[in-house]
Amino acid sequence: MPWPKVCLVGLGNHAKTKLLPILVELYDLNQISTVSSQINNANNIKNNFYSISESFPHNKSNCLYILSSPPKYHYSQAKAALLAGFDVMVEKPCFIDSSELQDLIQIAKSKKVLLIEMMMYLQNKIVNIFINNLRFDINKIKSIRSQFIIPSIPLGTFRNEKSLSSSLLADIGCYPLNFLSESGFDLREVEIETDKNLNKYFFYSKKLNDNHTSFSCEFGLGNNYSNYIKIIYKNDNFIQLSPFYYGRKGKRELTINMNNNIKIRNVIEENCFKKIFLISRNQWCKTQNTRFHNMIQVTETLQKLSKQVNLPSN
């Protein structure tokens, strides 16, 4: 394993159902610790702490801290762990204040430790093919269309739309912005509209680059679940993948339209929640500067767009 120990901070539903089972599968129980205001021994974890600072002496060094707490706590918890010399993974959206992110980046560099945003969907092989195709065919792309609609907000989560840190704008909107940044686009031309009565947002851009590639994305609440991305070429051929922003093991439906000949194939992907913990520390080090660039670009864009729809930061 890349790290001999892991510490999971925050035991909400996401952590208990998706992250902790994977950690229990990969690590011996004595190599796992948790930080939570509510101690949960459902997985027989013995090393439980009420505060992140309380856990530092136990973990000492060579421990990965995984932050699965609400975004408003990410900065203080990540700063404490980084200053203590630990590598840190942070659930998306990692940060909603660019100045705080810049502060953490400087700490990570000075301490020579890792700061990683957990964008699980990027561990899908087919997603990386899409990203590489976009970069390679950038002059041929007419538009990018995307949708990420969920039928309801899960109970017991931090999302209440009272601030950027608790909003669907940050929680779901970070996905398409991250994808654009990973694909090499400049996010400064992305604009936003919203229908607050429906808890729905719309990203759009008429010009993502000098080739006038357009972009639109509808996300938020709706009647039916929808999660896809569609890349349309200037000759009207297109490729579409659904679900796209998705990390669980299972089927992805790939639709290819080539000269009005449509083919549909199923792609089976592995569990991205597991794959991300198996990436070597050396590989994370190699991509750190690129990841920092994308994190900053997405965070600055979320801040700008939140002001346009009158969402306070906290």
Side-chain angles (χ1 to χ4, degrees):
M1 296 300 297
W3 293 270
K5 288 182 178 182
V6 289
C7 181
L8 180 59
V9 181
L11 287 177
N13 185 64
H14 175 79
K16 288 188 288 187
T17 59
K18 297 184 180 70
L19 301 181
L20 192 54
I22 293 298
L23 297 178
V24 170
E25 176 186 343
L26 296 175
Y27 287 88
D28 293 334
L29 292 181
N30 62 0
Q31 297 173 315
I32 303 171
S33 57
T34 66
V35 175
S36 175
S37 58
Q38 296 180 341
I39 299 300
N40 186 314
N41 289 319
N43 293 90
N44 296 316
I45 307 298
K46 299 296 189 293
N47 305 312
N48 303 297
F49 303 94
Y50 286 104
S51 70
I52 192 168
S53 58
E54 183 186 354
S55 69
F56 293 158
H58 168 80
N59 290 317
K60 295 181 180 178
S61 60
N62 296 324
C63 177
L64 172 67
Y65 273 76
I66 305 158
L67 305 188
S68 187
S69 50
K72 64 181 180 180
Y73 301 121
H74 286 174
Y75 172 67
S76 60
Q77 292 174 340
K79 186 171 185 176
L82 292 172
L83 286 172
F86 295 103
D87 294 328
V88 177
M89 278 188 181
V90 188
E91 270 285 7
K92 62 82 199 167
C94 58
F95 306 100
I96 44 87
D97 186 305
S98 58
S99 62
E100 292 180 348
L101 174 57
Q102 292 279 13
D103 181 38
L104 296 179
I105 287 173
Q106 293 307 312
I107 294 172
K109 288 181 177 180
S110 65
K111 290 286 186 177
K112 294 182 171 56
V113 291
L114 294 170
L115 177 61
I116 302 163
E117 182 176 30
M118 298 170 70
M119 281 287 179
M120 304 301 191
Y121 85 102
L122 291 176
Q123 305 311 314
N124 287 305
K125 292 180 180 179
I126 190 67
V127 167
N128 283 281
I129 291 174
F130 265 63
I131 290 172
N132 290 334
N133 281 349
L134 269 176
R135 287 181 174 272
F136 184 76
D137 292 335
I138 195 70
N139 296 327
K140 303 175 183 178
I141 306 298
K142 179 168 68 175
S143 63
I144 301 170
R145 302 288 178 262
S146 187
Q147 191 175 69
F148 196 168
I149 300 295
I150 58 175
S152 62
I153 297 175
L155 296 176
T157 65
F158 59 84
R159 290 171 285 192
N160 57 27
E161 301 305 308
K162 293 182 179 180
S163 67
L164 176 60
S165 64
S166 64
S167 70
L168 291 172
L169 170 57
D171 191 49
I172 297 181
C174 66
Y175 280 114
L177 294 179
N178 172 267
F179 173 72
L180 291 179
S181 187
E182 290 281 344
S183 302
F185 291 103
D186 190 328
L187 303 185
R188 286 178 292 182
E189 296 295 328
V190 175
E191 301 295 335
I192 189 172
E193 292 180 359
T194 182
D195 186 335
K196 291 188 176 180
N197 293 326
L198 297 176
N199 275 334
K200 189 176 290 185
Y201 296 90
F202 307 89
F203 286 154
Y204 64 94
S205 175
K206 295 180 180 179
K207 182 184 175 184
L208 280 177
N209 53 19
D210 292 338
N211 298 306
H212 293 269
T213 300
S214 65
F215 169 70
S216 66
C217 178
E218 176 186 13
F219 64 98
L221 293 183
N223 292 328
N224 300 300
Y225 180 82
S226 178
N227 179 347
Y228 72 84
I229 201 157
K230 183 177 184 179
I231 298 173
I232 305 170
Y233 291 81
K234 291 180 179 179
N235 59 8
D236 290 328
N237 291 335
F238 68 81
I239 55 175
Q240 178 174 310
L241 185 67
S242 176
F244 187 79
Y245 312 107
Y246 196 71
R248 298 186 191 183
K249 180 179 180 179
K251 181 179 71 176
R252 316 289 191 264
E253 184 176 276
L254 177 65
T255 303
I256 302 173
N257 175 45
M258 187 69 67
N259 300 322
N260 292 320
N261 181 21
I262 296 179
K263 294 183 179 180
I264 299 175
R265 58 175 292 202
N266 293 325
V267 179
I268 305 300
E269 291 282 1
E270 296 301 314
N271 189 332
C272 297
F273 292 88
K274 181 177 181 179
K275 290 174 70 174
I276 199 169
F277 294 124
L278 297 175
I279 298 173
S280 72
R281 192 179 186 280
N282 184 53
Q283 186 60 35
W284 285 121
C285 289
K286 289 179 180 179
T287 62
Q288 179 122 290
N289 287 334
T290 300
R291 289 185 288 102
F292 284 166
H293 167 78
N294 293 335
M295 290 161 67
I296 290 169
Q297 187 172 212
V298 171
T299 303
E300 289 179 344
T301 303
L302 282 174
Q303 278 187 290
K304 181 193 77 171
L305 298 179
S306 69
K307 292 177 181 178
Q308 293 179 12
V309 294
N310 298 317
L311 264 179
S313 59
N314 290 307

